[in-house]
Amino acid sequence: MLTIPITKNETVSGWLYMAFELILLPSLLRGSNGILPVPFTEAELNFIYFIINFASIVCIFHRFLGKSAAKVRQHPAYFCQAVILGLVAYYCCKAVLDVLIPWIHPGFTNLNDQGIASMTRNSRFLMTVGTVILVPPVEECLFRGLIFRKIYPSSPWAGYLVSMLAFACIHIIGFVGVYSPMDLLICLLQYLPAGLCLAWSYKKADTVFAPILMHAFINLRSIMLMR
């Protein structure tokens, strides 16, 4: 059972900020960066994007995050169990996809991963702080707290499905028109297990900090494997 509610103000503000983050913020940052005498690098600009999102989401969802943190303190063993089981499930699903995708679509390359790897090579510290500390609270408050939490009580299967698809789409939307439809479908498929396991850990632990910690660990491991 999900016992920590998302208030009406959090819901409205969260949806408005998500629209701003997706539609306007990237263009504003790139436009502003283009007129600077010494523009920021791609990694630095990406880090600024992470900071703005983190600060905004913490401001919008501070009540929800505070109550979620209290839940961790109340049931630490149950929290750890949800995180560990969620990670095991995720890496099992990932192992299966790592075998199936080369068989289904030989030579497939995830452009999002390539972009992150390129920025990591140029600025490992900024990308590590950004993807491990700043990104997880933002994405978990939006995709699990806002979307999954709001839909699940009315329809559990719809809560999982919508939050999974939204989470996957946010990672591939920038490649529409660059990828072929088949590449987009494969890329979408790669992100579905994470969306499923993160939502499950949130449901099991009844605190958004379970998927936040899971997400941080997954991103940290990915960054550490990048060369």
Side-chain angles (χ1 to χ4, degrees):
M1 182 181 295
L2 299 172
T3 61
I4 302 171
I6 296 284
T7 66
K8 183 177 180 180
N9 285 340
E10 289 170 331
T11 300
V12 173
S13 299
W15 280 113
L16 289 175
Y17 186 77
M18 185 185 288
F20 170 74
E21 173 196 359
L22 293 176
I23 299 169
L24 294 178
L25 184 56
S27 299
L28 288 173
L29 287 176
R30 291 189 181 280
S32 301
N33 194 46
I35 63 176
L36 293 177
V38 182
F40 291 108
T41 65
E42 189 71 17
E44 290 169 340
L45 195 64
N46 210 50
F47 188 70
I48 293 171
Y49 177 77
F50 291 157
I51 290 176
I52 293 172
N53 285 338
F54 179 82
S56 300
I57 290 302
V58 169
C59 180
I60 292 170
F61 292 100
H62 65 277
R63 184 209 60 87
F64 175 68
L65 288 167
K67 289 184 177 295
S68 296
K71 181 70 72 169
V72 176
R73 294 192 295 270
Q74 291 170 8
H75 304 288
Y78 204 60
F79 169 79
C80 291
Q81 182 187 57
V83 172
I84 292 169
L85 291 177
L87 285 170
V88 170
Y90 167 72
Y91 283 111
C92 286
C93 292
K94 185 178 183 301
V96 172
L97 286 179
D98 287 346
V99 173
L100 289 178
I101 288 175
W103 178 71
I104 297 171
H105 192 11
F108 171 78
T109 300
N110 187 307
L111 293 181
N112 187 51
D113 288 348
Q114 277 193 332
I116 293 173
S118 176
M119 287 187 282
T120 299
R121 286 191 292 270
N122 294 328
S123 186
R124 182 169 292 272
F125 175 76
L126 290 183
M127 288 303 294
T128 300
V129 172
T131 59
V132 176
I133 297 175
L134 302 179
V135 168
V138 173
E139 294 191 349
E140 296 314 311
C141 281
L142 292 176
F143 295 104
R144 257 57 67 179
L146 182 61
I147 297 177
F148 179 76
R149 173 68 182 82
K150 281 294 184 180
I151 299 175
Y152 184 88
S154 300
S155 177
W157 71 266
Y160 277 104
L161 181 62
V162 174
S163 63
M164 286 167 60
L165 288 174
F167 180 71
C169 286
I170 201 70
H171 289 87
I172 69 169
I173 193 169
F175 303 108
V176 174
V178 178
Y179 264 153
S180 68
M182 181 62 176
D183 286 335
L184 283 173
L185 182 61
I186 294 295
C187 196
L188 181 81
L189 182 64
Q190 286 186 309
Y191 291 105
L192 292 180
L196 172 63
C197 296
L198 290 166
W200 178 87
S201 72
Y202 173 39
K203 168 63 173 59
K204 181 171 179 60
D206 191 22
T207 169
V208 77
F209 279 96
I212 286 175
L213 183 57
M214 270 185 64
H215 201 151
F217 180 87
I218 291 168
N219 286 358
L220 176 61
R221 186 172 183 274
S222 296
I223 287 287
M224 291 175 64
L225 293 174
M226 289 177 180
R227 296 289 184 267

